[in-house]
Amino acid sequence: MKDSNYNIDYFLSNKYFVSWVKKPTEESDIFWQRWLKNHPESHEEFKKAQAIILRINFQGDQRIGERKEELLDLILRERKSQHYVEGESKKTLVLKLLPTLFRLAAACVVVILMATYLFSEFPVKNYPGEVQTVAFRTKSNPKGQKSIFFLPDKTKVILNAASQISFPEEFNANSREVFLEGEAFFDVTHDANRKFLVRSGEVVTEVHGTAFNVQAYSGEPVSIALQRGLVSVYPALAGQPTIPQYLKPGEMITVSKDFETAVISQFDFEEMLGWQEGKLVFKRATMETLIKRLERWFDVEIEVEGKVKDSWKINGIFKNENLVNVLEGVRYARNIDYQINGNKVTIRIKNNQ
Amino acid sequence: MSKGSSQTYENHLARFEARSNVAKGLNGAEDILIWQKFKDGDESAFVYIYNTYFEDLCHFGVQYAQLPIVEDCIQDMFVSLRGKRGQLPDIKHAIRLYLFQALKRRILNVLKKKKPMFSDDLSQYPFEVIPPHESLLIINQSQKDKLSRLDQALRGLNEKQREVVYYFFYKGMSYEEVQNMMGYDHVKSARNMVYRIIKSLQKVFVMVVLCWPL
């Protein structure tokens, strides 16, 4: 009985054993505990197999479940997602053209909107007296400070450091428009009748019930990262061709110089949205990026001494850490020296790098 | 070595299997009943199915793609199932298996349509086995070494093998369900696959066997 059938292989290939280890029920618990009692000679193999199965684990996502209710609601209303693909072979030409047609239609909508926008602005200049004045409010954060607040329509805004946002005290009946310089995350209150527009630099982001992040620091590329829902992005200048770019959740668009060369890519949630939770995240960040973000985050001025190689990159995640700890981290990882003098920081690159 | 005791054990197992299947509704009467209710237009049966399997489906899906894409696919899948509930086939196995198969098809379809993505995108390395958070079990360095060797062996499996590990060892699916998920013609292929995985972990076992106090 000593070397019986019950070796590790036996347990590992036994579906009921595996199920019990992964998801014990009251009944399977009783069964296997009793089994073990009756087969003391297999105790060791039993435990080993158990330990091995417990070690097998797969990547999950902390956000699983967050949208459960919301999605059920959409499903019950028979709404399909943006990724919807029908069985390829059955598609007729019309169906294939649909996305294009939709885009064209959407472009028309945007053009009309912009036209009305221009016309509504026009009278302001000619008949200032007759136009009702809308009071604007501005929220701004200095470097080193973040804030959370709600717009008049209860849209949640998380405004990052060194950023400023302006919005009317009351949105009008047709649209909700805000002006952003810097970086902010929006969780937009759904309102089918009033569009939500974010104007930032030369880019407009139009929202369709959504959570997304806009980064638009002056002199840097504008980037919009979509967490959920749908947004379209188009240039703010009426003269340019305005076929909007649609973003799907998990995608971001980066507009550097002009809209034509905008790039859509998948983004890293932690890197793009981590700042809301006080996480300073660097993934293959250049020295330039590192400095810019540290300067904004900690309200300091950073100077670099020594030559930085083009290949210099750094990864790191700092949650609610102070400047010294972050710099210590960089020093440890990349062999630099630093000196803090009030709000001036000097980073010295060592030559042997 | 006694055939007798093994025989009794198999009997035990069969009885246990029958009882626990009834208790959990696995492959059993309950799944078939709920599915039928849903097909007949019972909305609460539909919501029950959604609520029961949503998290499971998300976790399965993120082995292939980022959560937002997975959520989109789940949404579309349920919209489509609900839309053609009358024409849906009867369920032969568990509801979970049917949903998993449908979701897998859908996600692979969406990924195929996507442009090439960054190298760190999940779709480049589906079913990555990652060690769980360090548990209390780990007491000393030698145990740690063994575990990391096991992790290494698990990571060394190829994509198909990792997928089977997910179904069999992680989700506790039966060989028949593994066969269906993998699209094999015979259950035997699923069994062989599991045996081969155990074999390739064997080397590690030998090291682990020496001492593994729990």
Side-chain angles (χ1 to χ4, degrees):
Chain A
M1 199 58 208
K2 189 72 197 120
D3 62 74
S4 53
N5 294 330
Y6 310 132
N7 53 18
I8 287 197
D9 297 18
Y10 182 83
F11 294 113
L12 288 178
S13 58
N14 183 320
K15 188 223 143 164
Y16 302 100
F17 182 82
V18 174
S19 301
W20 166 65
V21 175
K22 273 295 172 195
K23 239 188 187 171
T25 64
E26 207 178 314
E27 193 170 5
S28 60
D29 235 8
I30 294 171
F31 178 89
W32 286 107
Q33 295 305 347
R34 198 188 297 155
W35 191 96
L36 190 56
K37 231 188 204 162
N38 294 335
H39 302 79
E41 76 286 350
S42 301
H43 184 270
E44 202 182 311
E45 303 277 291
F46 184 100
K47 289 291 180 187
K48 273 176 231 152
Q50 203 179 6
I52 286 166
I53 294 167
L54 285 173
R55 189 68 181 174
I56 293 172
N57 187 51
F58 285 84
Q59 183 88 49
D61 191 312
Q62 288 179 340
R63 296 163 299 153
I64 286 178
E66 280 176 12
R67 295 187 62 213
K68 192 173 181 179
E69 301 287 315
E70 183 196 338
L71 287 175
L72 179 60
D73 185 52
L74 291 171
I75 292 164
L76 294 177
R77 286 189 284 135
E78 287 165 30
R79 297 277 174 80
K80 283 169 184 159
S81 81
Q82 292 309 304
H83 277 110
Y84 184 72
V85 269
E86 192 56 79
E88 292 299 281
S89 50
K90 290 181 208 153
K91 256 190 188 177
T92 62
L93 186 64
V94 178
L95 277 175
K96 274 184 188 156
L97 280 174
L98 262 183
T100 327
L101 291 173
F102 177 67
R103 277 184 168 220
L104 282 174
C108 293
V109 171
V110 170
V111 170
I112 293 163
L113 270 174
M114 298 191 69
T116 46
Y117 176 75
L118 286 175
F119 279 113
S120 64
E121 264 205 337
F122 198 60
V124 179
K125 284 158 195 158
N126 287 307
Y127 316 102
E130 286 179 34
V131 170
Q132 41 173 216
T133 49
V134 180
F136 260 76
R137 291 181 61 192
T138 298
K139 293 249 183 192
S140 61
N141 285 339
K143 285 181 178 175
Q145 190 182 311
K146 281 178 295 187
S147 61
I148 301 182
F149 55 89
F150 292 86
L151 297 177
D153 67 336
K154 301 211 170 55
T155 287
K156 184 181 175 187
V157 179
I158 308 177
L159 189 64
N160 206 349
S163 302
Q164 176 175 324
I165 186 168
S166 309
F167 53 93
E169 259 178 2
E170 229 172 286
F171 288 125
N172 68 37
N174 308 318
S175 74
R176 298 168 282 173
E177 267 187 75
V178 301
F179 297 82
L180 172 72
E181 203 187 314
E183 182 167 26
F185 177 85
F186 298 89
D187 196 339
V188 178
T189 305
H190 181 70
D191 183 345
N193 299 319
R194 288 191 299 175
K195 286 176 185 303
F196 190 97
L197 301 178
V198 180
R199 294 181 173 272
S200 44
E202 280 152 24
V203 179
V204 182
T205 309
E206 186 179 319
V207 177
H208 314 261
T210 293
F212 65 105
N213 192 71
V214 177
Q215 195 184 71
Y217 287 108
S218 66
E220 291 177 34
V222 176
S223 75
I224 293 116
L226 180 62
Q227 185 171 0
R228 54 167 212 263
L230 174 68
V231 299
S232 53
V233 182
Y234 48 85
L237 291 176
Q240 294 185 27
T242 49
I243 294 194
Q245 292 286 343
Y246 285 85
L247 288 190
K248 295 170 201 131
E251 285 181 346
M252 74 183 254
I253 185 168
T254 309
V255 186
S256 305
K257 265 265 171 292
D258 55 283
F259 202 71
E260 295 305 299
T261 56
V263 181
I264 293 184
S265 58
Q266 300 281 315
F267 68 88
D268 184 294
F269 274 84
E270 202 166 38
E271 192 178 6
M272 287 305 293
L273 308 176
W275 64 268
Q276 299 163 44
E277 301 158 22
K279 270 193 212 159
L280 196 48
V281 182
F282 299 104
K283 300 216 167 153
R284 297 189 52 72
T286 60
M287 178 60 94
E288 200 188 343
T289 311
L290 177 78
I291 289 172
K292 265 187 191 147
R293 297 202 49 203
L294 291 182
E295 284 184 338
R296 283 203 286 265
W297 195 272
F298 294 108
D299 188 15
V300 289
E301 270 172 48
I302 300 178
E303 207 176 289
V304 181
E305 286 178 7
K307 191 165 161 22
V308 185
K309 278 189 183 167
D310 289 342
S311 59
W312 198 96
K313 293 265 160 51
I314 192 160
N315 295 317
I317 298 174
F318 304 94
K319 185 156 189 193
N320 298 325
E321 287 293 0
N322 59 32
L323 179 62
V324 174
N325 285 346
V326 174
L327 287 172
E328 274 297 320
V330 180
R331 186 169 79 105
Y332 182 76
R334 286 291 172 274
N335 193 25
I336 57 144
D337 263 340
Y338 67 89
Q339 200 175 4
I340 305 176
N341 215 333
N343 69 340
K344 296 242 192 296
V345 178
T346 312
I347 291 178
R348 257 178 236 103
I349 310 280
K350 293 191 184 162
N351 281 336
N352 57 357
Q353 283 242 358
Chain B
M1 185 90 213
S2 87
K3 251 274 76 56
S5 99
S6 143
Q7 209 67 49
T8 335
Y9 168 67
E10 294 300 337
N11 287 344
H12 259 307
L13 208 58
R15 253 182 311 180
F16 165 69
E17 173 188 345
R19 263 183 296 144
S20 69
N21 278 347
V22 172
K24 283 183 289 185
L26 252 181
N27 297 344
E30 200 188 323
D31 267 26
I32 292 172
L33 192 71
I34 288 168
W35 191 253
Q36 193 54 50
K37 275 188 175 172
F38 157 58
K39 281 178 62 181
D40 292 343
D42 183 337
E43 198 76 312
S44 67
F46 174 75
V47 173
Y48 174 84
I49 291 172
Y50 175 86
N51 280 332
T52 308
Y53 297 105
F54 180 80
E55 283 86 358
D56 235 12
L57 288 165
C58 285
H59 192 276
F60 173 52
V62 296
Q63 305 309 317
Y64 287 105
Q66 303 223 18
L67 184 61
I69 296 174
V70 173
E71 286 173 334
D72 278 359
C73 291
I74 292 175
Q75 177 187 344
D76 294 342
M77 176 178 84
F78 276 109
V79 168
S80 137
L81 285 175
R82 194 162 158 277
K84 52 178 189 198
R85 52 180 18 159
Q87 297 109 270
L88 291 176
D90 286 331
I91 266 210
K92 281 187 237 106
H93 305 277
I95 291 178
R96 181 177 72 169
L97 176 67
Y98 184 88
L99 298 178
F100 266 47
Q101 282 180 293
L103 183 64
K104 180 179 170 181
R105 264 196 307 271
R106 221 167 248 279
I107 291 176
L108 292 181
N109 245 335
V110 166
L111 290 182
K112 228 191 298 168
K113 297 203 87 192
K114 284 223 136 212
K115 289 155 244 149
M117 284 173 278
F118 283 113
S119 57
D120 61 345
D121 194 86
L122 285 171
S123 63
Q124 307 278 328
Y125 197 83
F127 296 99
E128 183 176 5
V129 189
I130 48 166
H133 293 297
E134 297 297 335
S135 57
L136 296 171
L137 292 175
I138 298 155
I139 303 156
N140 56 40
Q141 190 60 38
S142 96
Q143 259 184 314
K144 234 180 184 161
D145 292 346
K146 277 171 214 147
L147 284 175
S148 75
R149 249 192 316 251
L150 175 61
D151 295 338
Q152 235 169 14
L154 284 165
R155 265 193 304 257
L157 300 174
N158 67 33
E159 190 183 323
K160 286 259 180 287
Q161 289 173 324
R162 293 196 307 269
E163 191 177 349
V164 170
V165 168
Y166 185 82
Y167 300 138
F168 188 82
F169 290 106
Y170 192 72
K171 285 288 159 194
M173 286 185 175
S174 67
Y175 287 112
E176 213 180 358
E177 286 178 298
V178 173
Q179 174 208 341
N180 277 289
M181 285 308 303
M182 300 302 292
Y184 295 144
D185 290 336
H186 304 286
V187 185
K188 223 180 135 210
S189 314
R191 280 183 193 280
N192 286 341
M193 196 72 177
V194 171
Y195 289 142
R196 233 173 302 143
I197 290 163
I198 294 176
K199 277 269 141 57
S200 52
L201 297 180
Q202 202 79 275
K203 276 174 257 151
V204 185
F205 295 169
V206 178
M207 323 295 278
V208 176
V209 161
L210 299 174
C211 68
W212 196 308
L214 259 171

